[in-house]
Amino acid sequence: MSQTIKTDVVLVGAGIMSATLGALLRQLQPEWSISLFEVLDAAAAESSDPWNNAGTGHSALCELNYTPQDANGDVNVDKAININEQFQVSRQFWAHSVDTGILGDPTEFINPIPHVSFTHGEAGVSYLRKRYDKLSRHPLFEGMEYITDSDEFAARLPLMSDGRDFSDPVALNWFTDGTDVDFGALTQQLLNYVGRDADIFFGHRVTNLSKQSDGSWIVKVTNERTGEKFKVHAGFVFVGAGGGALHLLQKSGIKEAKGFGGFPVSGEFIRCTDSELIGQHHAKVYGQAAVGAPPMSVPHLDTRVINHQPGLLFGPYAGWSPKFLKNGKITDLVSTVKPNNLLPMLSIAPQEFGLLKYLISELSASTADRIDTLNEFAPRAIAEDWEFVTAGQRVQVIRKTGVGGSLEFGTAVVAAEDGTIAGLLGASPGASTAVPAMIDVLSKCFPGSFEAWRSKLVEMIPSFGQKLSDNTALFGEVWDWSSKSLQLTNSRVDAPESQNTSATTSG
């Protein structure tokens, strides 16, 4: 160890979470010094990379796993409303950041794309009607359409209608004002801002964390290129390392990380290679997961906008790897098994039989099987027009409950009681709710400063401390402002001409 660097804040990982927290801190406490360490040679190269996620901008407009139906047929929309509220916070912060020059051209990272829920069959149509009846009356979902007419379906989704047998009834919940988000480009823009007054180290691995008697931290770092090792003395550490976060939080020794485990799930999408087909679809269309399948398996046919170019992907097809990152090691899973999380992790298998069965079926699926799944959305799709791409690795949270554990398909902030270290575990909705997640970190870790930051937070996020669903006037104001600032009123990507037709709803 040749030197010790002193800094106020260490950020581990160069993904959307660290970038967001860094940008917030630059605004709230500009005099604080920040050092960021990323083991790879580029920002947003893991889960935040645009081809490693679907870029939906998860706002629960179309994702049916956020509006489950119970045994009595009742549709619960509470989770959808909560997630939409969180996305509105992120959207406001991005708009403020564009207005103030923190972010540049918003079309580099966010574009308007309709969000659509799709079902077929009598049961699916009935469910989507119930979902529409509940959500469309809510202020955050005003403007949602319910469509069952086959001609209107064909006009809006020509790729999905071509070759479809409409004797099988179909239904859509259509929300025009959805978005596609390139979280890789967003992360890079945020880090360009953070890096003006911070030290960002690529190709550097954080290997250990040691708490000092005064509450500060010694962070051990290795330069992956040269092998040089050094220490960083920091007052606060945030571990935003995606799948690598659990391992580092365990090394920190904080009691709050004990009992947590991780279950890695890899995934694949198939990406369209035919520009003519790409031009026939302009929406993010989410369907229903198969009976008994986990939430992560919800199939979707998505328009993407990356570098101003439209793309089209379908998935996800789940896989499995013991790695916690795409660039991880096969020992990642084993290395996180500790005496305090062994029972929680072992207890998952019998509880999640459906998940295990699903993963086995996905791993054994042939290319023809996967195209068959795509054909439910695009009946005439053929393998020659699509290529497989490996998505980002997702590590689902296993949380200790009693003597066992439970598998959670969400995100969890893990913070030390004294607020000197925090980290983020989990996956979906992930990046879409990065801003409220990082505000949660700030409130937990800096309670003494948080009240003083309130006025600045309100400046950046006008709805801060309020629920937009309880204040429709404010929602209208921030929606109009953020739409204008983020240039979401007109798309630079041409939609199919048929989408300019007026809506025809039924029911």
Side-chain angles (χ1 to χ4, degrees), residues 74-85:
D74 186 48
V75 176
N76 188 317
V77 299
D78 293 346
K79 188 171 184 179
I81 293 168
N82 181 53
I83 288 174
N84 194 290
E85 288 271 11

Side-chain angles (χ1 to χ4, degrees), residues 161-488:
S161 67
D162 186 19
R164 183 171 297 280
D165 179 5
F166 282 104
S167 65
D168 179 30
V170 296
L172 303 174
N173 284 172
W174 185 284
F175 197 92
T176 297
D177 295 322
T179 52
D180 174 80
V181 185
D182 181 342
F183 287 106
L186 175 60
T187 299
Q188 289 164 5
Q189 286 199 26
L190 288 171
L191 286 180
N192 284 341
Y193 164 70
V194 174
R196 296 175 197 169
D197 296 294
D199 297 315
I200 298 180
F201 298 83
F202 291 106
H204 284 68
R205 183 186 299 276
V206 172
T207 59
N208 210 345
L209 303 162
S210 302
K211 191 171 186 179
Q212 306 303 292
S213 58
D214 63 355
S216 62
W217 289 86
I218 293 295
V219 181
K220 293 184 179 179
V221 181
T222 298
N223 184 326
E224 293 284 281
R225 303 185 189 96
T226 66
E228 176 194 5
K229 298 180 179 181
F230 58 94
K231 296 178 181 180
V232 182
H233 188 197
F236 172 73
V237 177
F238 174 70
V239 184
L246 177 59
H247 187 63
L248 287 173
L249 287 171
Q250 289 176 332
K251 284 198 168 188
S252 74
I254 61 171
K255 68 178 187 298
E256 290 79 6
K258 296 185 185 302
F260 277 99
F263 184 81
V265 178
S266 60
E268 286 187 328
F269 289 108
I270 51 176
R271 180 169 58 193
C272 189
T273 57
D274 187 318
S275 59
E276 183 177 346
L277 294 178
I278 293 170
Q280 294 177 30
H281 189 82
H282 186 75
K284 290 183 175 291
V285 182
Y286 275 59
Q288 288 180 295
V291 176
M296 74 180 76
S297 67
V298 173
H300 43 97
L301 182 63
D302 286 5
T303 296
R304 297 301 322 269
V305 185
I306 299 171
N307 295 325
H308 296 294
Q309 296 299 311
L312 184 62
L313 62 78
F314 176 79
Y317 300 100
W320 192 83
S321 165
K323 295 181 179 180
F324 276 17
L325 294 162
K326 282 183 72 172
N327 294 281
K329 302 176 181 178
I330 60 172
T331 56
D332 285 346
L333 175 58
V334 172
S335 68
T336 62
V337 178
K338 308 295 180 185
N340 59 66
N341 68 10
L342 178 60
L343 286 178
M345 294 182 72
L346 290 176
S347 71
I348 292 304
Q351 295 177 38
E352 299 292 339
F353 179 74
L355 171 59
L356 297 176
K357 183 179 177 182
Y358 164 73
L359 288 175
I360 291 170
S361 67
E362 287 283 281
L363 290 167
S364 62
S366 65
T367 298
D369 292 332
R370 294 181 173 191
I371 295 300
D372 283 344
T373 305
L374 170 60
N375 288 150
E376 183 178 348
F377 282 71
R380 295 199 188 281
I382 57 175
E384 288 75 13
D385 295 327
W386 299 78
E387 64 181 1
F388 283 93
V389 292
T390 302
Q393 193 81 343
R394 303 290 186 265
V395 180
Q396 310 298 335
V397 174
I398 297 175
R399 187 189 296 268
K400 186 176 182 180
T401 54
V403 296
S406 62
L407 187 63
E408 298 180 358
F409 297 97
T411 52
V413 172
V414 179
E417 186 177 9
D418 65 359
T420 58
I421 187 171
L424 193 80
L425 303 177
S428 183
S432 302
T433 58
V435 178
M438 293 304 96
I439 291 175
D440 187 24
V441 168
L442 292 174
S443 67
K444 289 180 176 179
C445 295
F446 301 98
S449 302
F450 199 74
E451 191 58 36
W453 292 339
R454 184 171 294 275
S455 61
K456 185 64 178 179
L457 287 167
V458 172
E459 178 186 322
M460 294 187 288
I461 303 159
S463 72
F464 179 75
Q466 303 181 60
K467 283 191 174 183
L468 289 171
S469 54
D470 295 335
N471 191 333
T472 55
L474 178 60
F475 175 53
E477 291 174 11
V478 299
W479 179 268
D480 290 345
W481 156 64
S482 59
S483 294
K484 181 179 179 180
S485 294
L486 296 173
Q487 300 182 28
L488 295 175

